[in-house]
Amino acid sequence: DVKVTQSSRYLVKRTGEKVFLECVQDMDHENMFWYRQDPGLGLRLIYFSYDVKMKEKGDIPEGYSVSREKKERFSLILESASTNQTSMYLCASSYPGPGYEQYFGPGTRLTVT
Amino acid sequence: ELKVEQNPLFLSMQEGKNYTIYCNYSTTSDRLYWYRQDPGKSLESLFVLLSNGAVKQEGRLMASLDTKARLSTLHITAAVHDLSATYFCAVGVSGTYKYIFGTGTRLKVLA
């Protein structure tokens, strides 16, 4: 079974803090994604990566950066957390190609106070 | 810009009834996915649809794709309480690795 794990299920941070969210997958997937999920808005893509050290902006990259130093690990970084970044963050991975669905991690619920 | 619309957003139905969730998208795509999310849980893949006329079935759920109409449907047959969840469709952006998700349909099946 594909396993995608995220470093924390719940996280509370203060405004202005630097926040790291880590995601690890064990299936040798090339593609990895970070989404945020907000009520009524569905999932919105923040960044994705199709190879080590390769990244592309999604639809809402402002305020976020990412790092992929190893194939299995994809990190999301909030350089200076703000209250409007309070959300559920979901990591996903997949093989490249249209026939492959994404596998999602359990999510990290981040609260910024 | 690719937009994905699901309807209805909320659906409350009696056990044993049939219903259909619709997923419309605005531009050409080469792939469409359906996912299920239980409360407090992550997303689980249900179906992958890649070609016009594709139909897939798993238990009481059947998904279909009409690429000419840019429409996918998720049909529920004889609903049971265990199907209560939020269902998302996701459409692949042609020529990229990106996916655009619909806002989800929250389904509640009443016993």
Side-chain angles (χ1 to χ4, degrees), chain A residues 51-70:
Chain A
D51 201 350
V52 174
K53 297 191 187 293
M54 306 303 289
K55 61 187 179 186
E56 283 200 23
K57 293 180 179 179
D59 299 312
I60 52 164
E62 297 78 20
Y64 303 95
S65 63
V66 290
S67 171
R68 193 166 180 200
E69 297 296 321
K70 293 185 178 181

Side-chain angles (χ1 to χ4, degrees), chain B:
Chain B
E1 182 190 346
L2 178 60
K3 291 187 178 179
V4 180
E5 292 186 350
Q6 279 183 245
N7 68 84
L9 299 182
F10 299 97
L11 177 55
S12 181
M13 55 192 298
Q14 296 288 331
E15 274 193 332
K17 299 292 187 184
N18 303 335
Y19 209 82
T20 301
I21 300 170
Y22 297 88
C23 175
N24 290 91
Y25 53 98
S26 59
T27 62
T28 304
S29 174
D30 56 3
R31 56 200 193 277
L32 188 138
Y33 308 82
W34 284 96
Y35 292 88
R36 169 183 171 143
Q37 186 179 36
D38 291 295
K41 301 277 182 72
S42 193
L43 278 75
E44 173 191 353
S45 175
L46 293 174
F47 301 109
V48 178
L49 303 169
L50 300 178
S51 59
N52 187 44
V55 177
K56 292 200 175 177
Q57 183 163 3
E58 180 74 33
R60 300 174 188 274
L61 299 177
M62 183 173 71
S64 65
L65 178 62
D66 181 343
T67 57
K68 293 179 182 176
R70 297 177 186 162
L71 170 69
S72 179
T73 60
L74 180 66
H75 186 74
I76 302 152
T77 302
V80 293
H81 180 68
D82 285 352
L83 290 178
S84 297
T86 299
Y87 293 86
F88 291 92
C89 65
V91 178
V93 180
S94 292
T96 78
Y97 295 107
K98 289 177 61 173
Y99 304 78
I100 305 295
F101 280 76
T103 52
T105 296
R106 187 186 294 179
L107 171 66
K108 187 172 183 179
V109 181
L110 304 172

